[in-house]
Amino acid sequence: MTATFETPIETTVSLTIDGKIVEVPAGTSIHKACESAGIDTPTLCWAENLTPVSVCRVCVVEVEGQRALAPSCARAAEEDMVVETDSDRVRHSRKMVLEFLGSGVDLDQAPELQKWMEHYGSDTSRYDQYELPALKMGEAPKIQDNLYIRDYDRCVLCYKCVEACGDDAQHTYAIAVSGRGFDARISTEFDVTLPDSACVYCGNCIAVCPTGAIQFKTEYDLRGADNWRPDEQEVTRTVCSYCGVGCNLELHTQDDKIVKVTSPADHSVTSGMLCIKGRFGWQYVQPLDAPTRKH
Amino acid sequence: MADLYISDEMADDAEIAAVDAALGGRFVVVRESERFVRAGTSKRHDHRHLLLPALHALQNAKGWISPGGLNHVCETLQVPPAEAYGVATFYDLFRTDEPTQAGDVTHVCVDAACQIAGSGKRIAALRAQSINVHESPCLGQCERANASTGEVAEFVQGVGGPDRVEADERPYELFHQKGDESLRLLKRIGVVDPTSLASYRAHGGYDALTAAMAMGADAVCTAVADSGLSGRGGAAFPTGIKWRAVAAEQGRPKHVVANCDESEPGTFKDRVVMENDPFAVIEALTIAGFATGAENGWIYIRGEYPLATARLQNAINQALEAGLLGDDAAGSGHRFTIEIRRGAGAYICGEETALFASLEGFRGEPRSKPPFPTTHGLFQEPTAINNPETLLNVLDIVQIGADGYRSRGTDRSPGTKLLCLSGRVARPGVYEVEFGTTLGEVLELAGGLTGSGELRAVLMGGAAGSFVDGSYLDMPITLEHARERGTTLGSGVVMAFTDEIDMVDILVRISQFFRDESCGQCVPCRIGCVRQHETMVVLQQKGSLTPDRRQLVDDISQVMVDASICGFGHTATNAINSAIELGIVPGVPS
Ligand SMILES: Cc1cc2nc3c(=O)[nH]c(=O)nc-3n(C[C@H](O)[C@H](O)[C@H](O)COP(=O)(O)O)c2cc1C
Ligand code: SF4
Ligand code: SF4
Ligand code: SF4
Ligand code: FES
Ligand code: FES
């Protein structure tokens, strides 16, 4: 038979996930393979538009023949692999990872994680009994300008903001992980304020943060006033009017006011990333400090 | 790197001079106000591997890394300041806040061997004299810990002057096998002049390299594989397989790395070798380079080993001068050079992928494997990384052949092993024993027990290893027997505890060690280590654990073993679990 160049050969691998045979293109992650088999997997440090760092370990699965569990977000599916996503070991690890996080980080604004904690029976009260200083940093949120705030009591150290600010999108490197072990923190050099740092206010760190540790000042203020109502918000898709690149914007409005701006993570131009103009440059529509009315 | 944002803070003359000296004047700092792009982001990593030496220079110049000093380094090496700060704050030997007490800092070890020799008292005494003390994890001088004299391990971090270990100024008297005919790895210790190439040669030095070159690279790899040599850094991976894999890689350049980070609590064998027979490490690394076809040799040595560092550097200099290193190393027609890099106080940097990250100028965070170092090692290039003890074995293998080598030891653990005897033994020190010697014989070799004379437990393999009790004294020291009986040889630690010692205090300290040393990258280990430590502190305070807390010990351990990224998290609960299983922890049922 002669090979034809017009039809590239799509290599696939077939593996067994929870007893079901699943066929996926070679190179697909186990996580994606699970998704195609209709199995929901928790993720935290993984995102479509970022390089996997595999640090949170909430997505682990059991791969037959391997001693340790594997991070499904980064491990590629292989031919004849046998994967368990709901074994005792997997459930235990997911439960404990979430429990550890919940015991030390404020996850109030991470409903997805809370759902999974409930699913796996994570019980953070097991740690309340310690008569030792609480794990939480108890740090005041960093409010250094009127564009966005950083509240590291909510930070799970997923590295997403660092990736977005650095190699994966912005190449600005304004923030990095500092310290070591439990003292590790996301920080600028010497913890200088954002206006004193390399930050260009693209807000891409906000876009990727899964826990609300970094958020629009508008959102922060509304939450503080107990007036953040995401269910009632309208999302309008439009194109940024500043330059010819054509970034798609999603304007989130509440009570006819823009409260935050995002871009779709799967958009071919932006991959969810914007610059300061698209992200924050809407003052010509509405001044930044416009008082927001509670109705 | 595209335009970096660097704040207005400037380095002072002392800082600039120190950095320039450390970087060998290789750079012209470009100061431009207008935006310019050097060569895209690919240039970003060009000089980054010089970050650690530059940070050492700043720390030494002023006793801390100031914003101005860091700016100077960032501008010179084109590293973003936030990232450089992230690197500086990763290491125990670097400070990023101005110290309240200026001058040298005395690091005093608080890990087990020193803990039971009275490091608490020593620290109090030093502080009473207003000496600036930093409590340090194991300093790799555990054999110096002596309960009767109160001596414990210390290291002085210099400011404006060199780092030093005061004990190094006295002759080394803690090697007890000097001149023993049966020694292979330690035969030159105490016999050869460690500062002289001529002396090294007079004691058989460089005969192995000559033999290796006569055999050819391929035959060396075969001999190493046939000898059954396995890694002595803890994981016992077959060295022959590793070398063959790197030799087969077509990618260039290739690297061989001597992992001299030696930070596993209780381990000091590599230090004794590097200080007393440094040319042997250089010769063995040269053979590794020859066998694998690597042109770059690296020595990554922990920052607390100033004497070993100086001796190795001197050995490299003399070898270069004699043409044993360089463009045509020892007339092999093969270019091979060796560069030394100092760590800065981070146990995790002994993990091979963390070591690469650290050497490259990034935070010492382990990387996921696969890919493995043999294909994606240092700078993502093919790399063979070995412990110095592993390398030392090769000197014998190429001279006496694989069969000759196998005449000692057991079939599955051929050869000899360096053991680090410490704790309550009469003659602590490094001992070379034939595989198959029993644990009891080893303790006798070190003069038997001191303290109460009644054995409570022996810590095998370090803090990442496990405790065994008196019922293991008949266990032959081999990889297979250790595995069979659920323990490990790890890095060769044999630390004895007698029954007057409060084991809970020891476990609290071990858990504190892991809490302090976790890189913090993955959740199971970052938070698990803290929770484990808290449990041990509660045990210490209350004298027992409630059933809930007892359950938590197992739950924490399970997730760390199953879901952590690297060997640190996988082993950080071993010692505590083994102690509980042995039933030697009062208040905790096994
Ligand atoms: C937390 C951790 C620390 C380690 N520290 C060291 C070390 O100080 N020295 C060393 O040789 N290997 C150390 N290792 C093992 C290395 O990762 C690697 O396996 C070893 O250097 C390979 O050399 P070998 O095959 O000659 O043993 C460490 C591993 C882990 C997980
Ligand atoms: S706003 Fe943009 S430049 Fe500023 S820290 Fe976030 S990602 Fe980096
Ligand atoms: S601030 Fe948000 S994105 Fe950044 S590491 Fe923390 S949780 Fe992740
Ligand atoms: S197991 Fe611990 S040391 Fe290893 S990567 Fe995870 S946090 Fe870092
Ligand atoms: S989502 Fe896979 S490790 Fe974080
Ligand atoms: S130097 Fe103190 S325990 Fe090793």
Side-chain angles (χ1 to χ4, degrees):
Chain A
M1 213 182 97
T2 32
T4 52
F5 290 105
E6 293 79 47
T7 49
I9 303 147
E10 174 142 306
T11 353
T12 60
V13 294
S14 90
L15 67 163
T16 311
I17 304 180
D18 295 345
K20 273 185 279 186
I21 309 259
V22 182
E23 200 166 277
V24 291
T28 306
S29 68
I30 298 176
H31 165 236
K32 285 280 175 199
C34 289
E35 200 173 82
S36 74
I39 299 164
D40 220 4
T41 310
T43 60
L44 178 54
C45 66
W46 176 87
E48 197 83 61
N49 53 356
L50 300 171
T51 315
V53 284
S54 313
V55 295
C56 77
R57 317 306 276 186
V58 75
C59 69
V60 287
V61 294
E62 193 165 346
V63 177
E64 199 178 88
Q66 295 192 359
R67 204 160 38 103
L69 303 180
S72 65
C73 60
R75 186 67 55 84
E78 288 166 26
E79 186 69 26
D80 295 334
M81 218 178 211
V82 179
V83 175
E84 291 288 335
T85 74
D86 202 35
S87 64
D88 288 347
R89 283 174 72 200
V90 170
R91 277 202 310 274
H92 179 78
S93 277
R94 291 184 181 179
K95 162 184 177 294
M96 291 300 291
V97 162
L98 292 162
E99 195 170 285
F100 280 167
L101 286 174
S103 72
V105 183
D106 188 344
L107 299 177
D108 282 2
Q109 294 178 24
E112 183 77 359
L113 285 183
Q114 286 175 7
K115 186 196 83 185
W116 284 112
M117 287 175 77
E118 198 167 314
H119 179 87
Y120 288 111
S122 302
D123 175 11
T124 57
S125 73
R126 295 214 280 170
Y127 307 90
D128 295 345
Q129 56 185 327
Y130 291 100
E131 296 91 56
L132 289 156
L135 276 180
K136 288 192 182 113
M137 283 174 264
E139 256 177 38
K142 293 179 192 294
I143 306 173
Q144 297 165 344
D145 50 70
N146 56 10
L147 298 186
Y148 75 98
I149 66 101
R150 297 177 294 155
D151 181 1
Y152 288 128
D153 268 10
R154 300 183 186 281
C155 174
V156 290
L157 275 180
C158 70
Y159 287 55
K160 281 177 167 172
C161 54
V162 176
E163 291 201 289
C165 188
D167 287 331
D168 278 344
Q170 190 58 30
H171 290 84
T172 292
Y173 310 96
I175 46 174
V177 183
S178 69
R180 184 173 75 197
F182 194 75
D183 296 328
R185 302 277 181 276
I186 305 296
S187 175
T188 57
E189 62 276 16
F190 295 94
D191 202 19
V192 297
T193 63
L194 283 175
D196 284 332
S197 78
C199 177
V200 296
Y201 288 94
C202 63
N204 290 330
C205 50
I206 312 172
V208 295
C209 181
T211 60
I214 317 183
Q215 58 183 258
F216 275 72
K217 177 78 165 25
T218 37
E219 174 174 345
Y220 178 77
D221 288 343
L222 284 167
R223 283 183 185 272
D226 203 14
N227 190 22
W228 179 253
R229 291 169 276 118
D231 296 343
E232 298 166 27
Q233 287 166 13
E234 224 176 294
V235 179
T236 312
R237 189 137 162 185
T238 178
V239 178
C240 180
S241 56
Y242 279 100
C243 80
V245 171
C247 298
N248 275 29
L249 304 179
E250 292 166 330
L251 306 178
H252 300 243
T253 49
Q254 176 175 310
D255 302 333
D256 296 331
K257 296 263 182 248
I258 300 172
V259 291
K260 72 173 176 187
V261 177
T262 56
S263 181
D266 59 357
H267 187 249
S268 60
V269 173
T270 68
S271 296
M273 308 297 178
L274 293 170
C275 79
I276 183 172
K277 291 172 277 185
R279 184 85 63 194
F280 292 112
W282 26 272
Q283 283 90 326
Y284 65 93
V285 182
Q286 155 199 324
L288 249 185
D289 284 324
T292 26
R293 208 169 10 95
K294 197 167 182 172
H295 62 175
Chain B
M1 151 123 295
D3 46 331
L4 288 179
Y5 175 85
I6 294 190
S7 72
D8 297 337
E9 260 118 348
M10 303 274 276
D12 66 17
D13 292 344
E15 289 170 322
I16 293 173
V19 170
D20 289 356
L23 301 184
R26 284 182 239 200
F27 298 91
V28 182
V29 179
V30 189
R31 289 184 202 281
E32 304 239 342
S33 52
E34 78 271 29
R35 177 194 173 97
F36 85 112
V37 174
R38 257 159 226 225
T41 47
S42 68
K43 277 277 174 210
R44 182 162 123 75
H45 298 174
D46 262 16
H47 302 300
R48 178 117 185 200
H49 65 103
L50 293 168
L51 183 56
L52 205 49
L55 293 176
H56 267 300
L58 286 177
Q59 172 68 38
N60 181 264
K62 298 281 272 299
W64 70 298
I65 294 168
S66 71
L70 193 74
N71 279 350
H72 175 69
V73 167
C74 289
E75 201 161 8
T76 309
L77 300 178
Q78 292 291 294
V79 176
E83 286 196 359
Y85 179 76
V87 172
T89 52
F90 189 83
Y91 298 98
D92 215 23
L93 294 186
F94 296 150
R95 294 194 60 154
T96 50
D97 53 336
E98 193 166 3
T100 45
Q101 189 177 351
D104 295 356
V105 182
T106 301
H107 294 239
V108 182
C109 170
V110 295
D111 266 325
C114 297
Q115 184 182 12
I116 61 174
S119 52
K121 266 197 202 140
R122 175 69 182 156
I123 290 169
L126 288 171
R127 287 200 170 130
Q129 303 165 47
S130 302
I131 289 173
N132 198 353
V133 175
H134 177 79
E135 295 183 15
S136 168
C138 176
L139 286 165
Q141 312 174 36
C142 327
E143 82 274 35
R144 290 194 169 122
N146 185 327
S148 53
T149 63
E151 182 179 352
V152 296
E154 289 171 24
F155 156 78
V156 180
Q157 192 179 10
V159 174
D163 296 346
R164 62 194 185 277
V165 169
E166 265 153 26
D168 289 341
E169 284 147 30
R170 305 190 294 271
Y172 187 65
E173 277 162 1
L174 295 168
F175 180 56
H176 311 287
Q177 291 177 309
K178 184 162 132 185
D180 184 334
E181 294 285 311
S182 69
L183 296 181
R184 278 181 174 177
L185 307 173
L186 302 180
K187 59 181 173 242
R188 277 181 294 262
I189 307 284
V191 177
V192 76
D193 174 358
T195 62
S196 155
L197 176 59
S199 174
Y200 180 64
R201 281 195 188 272
H203 289 90
Y206 279 101
D207 289 354
L209 180 60
T210 309
M213 279 164 32
M215 289 163 77
D218 205 44
V220 172
C221 288
T222 305
V224 171
D226 292 348
S227 74
L229 175 64
S230 64
R232 306 291 199 241
F237 187 82
T239 309
I241 296 181
K242 194 184 277 188
W243 284 22
R244 276 205 171 293
V246 176
E249 281 297 318
Q250 301 299 314
R252 285 289 184 283
K254 299 199 264 192
H255 309 271
V256 286
V257 180
N259 183 346
C260 307
D261 195 50
E262 192 165 62
S263 308
E264 180 65 50
T267 318
F268 50 89
K269 63 186 175 73
D270 301 340
R271 189 200 95 239
V272 172
V273 170
M274 294 186 287
E275 289 178 353
N276 297 289
D277 196 8
F279 286 94
V281 178
I282 303 302
E283 182 184 4
L285 192 59
T286 309
I287 294 174
F290 173 73
T292 57
E295 47 276 72
N296 300 315
W298 301 86
I299 293 178
Y300 185 97
I301 184 167
R302 67 178 298 186
E304 297 89 341
Y305 279 180
L307 181 61
T309 308
R311 293 255 161 100
L312 288 168
Q313 190 59 58
N314 173 60
I316 291 172
N317 296 348
Q318 291 192 29
L320 267 171
E321 219 160 279
L324 296 163
L325 292 172
D327 285 343
D328 179 18
S332 60
H334 178 84
R335 179 185 149 75
F336 187 72
T337 54
I338 299 177
E339 210 169 311
I340 298 184
R341 284 307 161 81
R342 289 178 63 207
Y347 165 64
I348 191 57
C349 290
E351 196 281 337
E352 54 195 15
T353 60
L355 185 152
F356 299 147
S358 172
L359 205 158
E360 290 166 17
F362 292 85
R363 292 164 57 78
E365 293 173 352
R367 298 165 178 172
S368 292
K369 289 185 273 192
F372 293 97
T374 47
T375 59
H376 295 74
L378 187 61
F379 305 114
Q380 299 294 315
E381 289 153 3
T383 305
I385 177 165
N386 283 111
N387 178 266
E389 180 190 348
T390 315
L391 294 170
L392 229 48
N393 279 278
V394 176
L395 297 178
D396 276 304
I397 294 170
V398 296
Q399 293 187 85
I400 61 176
D403 289 341
Y405 180 83
R406 281 181 165 279
S407 69
R408 308 274 301 277
T410 67
D411 191 37
R412 278 145 77 197
S413 300
T416 58
K417 177 82 194 84
L418 300 186
L419 296 177
C420 311
L421 272 290
S422 67
R424 294 277 195 259
V425 289
R427 285 198 310 268
V430 54
Y431 290 86
E432 177 175 347
V433 302
E434 185 165 349
F435 275 113
T437 312
T438 65
L439 179 57
E441 287 165 347
V442 167
L443 291 174
E444 281 313 309
L445 196 59
L449 299 174
T450 57
S452 71
E454 291 298 322
L455 185 69
R456 168 67 56 83
V458 178
L459 180 61
M460 301 289 295
S466 69
F467 285 102
V468 300
D469 61 13
S471 70
Y472 282 70
L473 291 178
D474 64 345
M475 180 182 80
I477 302 278
T478 66
L479 297 167
E480 58 276 18
H481 287 95
R483 194 172 311 135
E484 207 171 281
R485 297 187 61 173
T487 182
T488 175
L489 304 184
S491 53
V493 173
V494 178
M495 195 184 285
F497 297 85
T498 41
D499 70 357
E500 81 285 4
I501 295 168
D502 185 339
M503 289 310 288
V504 174
D505 288 350
I506 303 296
L507 298 186
V508 169
R509 173 55 211 163
I510 289 177
S511 61
Q512 170 91 48
F513 171 81
F514 285 109
R515 176 180 179 148
D516 292 346
E517 298 295 328
S518 165
C519 87
Q521 189 182 194
C522 65
V523 175
C525 174
R526 177 174 78 238
I527 304 183
C529 285
V530 172
R531 295 308 190 188
Q532 170 174 261
H533 175 242
E534 286 173 348
T535 314
M536 290 300 112
V537 171
V538 169
L539 170 64
Q540 190 179 41
Q541 288 169 351
K542 308 244 151 161
S544 66
L545 290 182
T546 61
D548 287 356
R549 285 176 186 160
R550 176 68 191 82
Q551 179 63 42
L552 209 47
V553 173
D554 291 344
D555 286 355
I556 292 169
S557 175
Q558 177 88 46
V559 64
M560 289 179 67
V561 168
D562 276 346
S564 295
I565 293 181
C566 83
F568 180 108
H570 297 153
T571 55
T573 60
N574 281 357
I576 286 165
N577 288 347
S578 64
I580 292 176
E581 261 164 50
L582 286 180
I584 56 170
V585 192
V588 188
S590 52

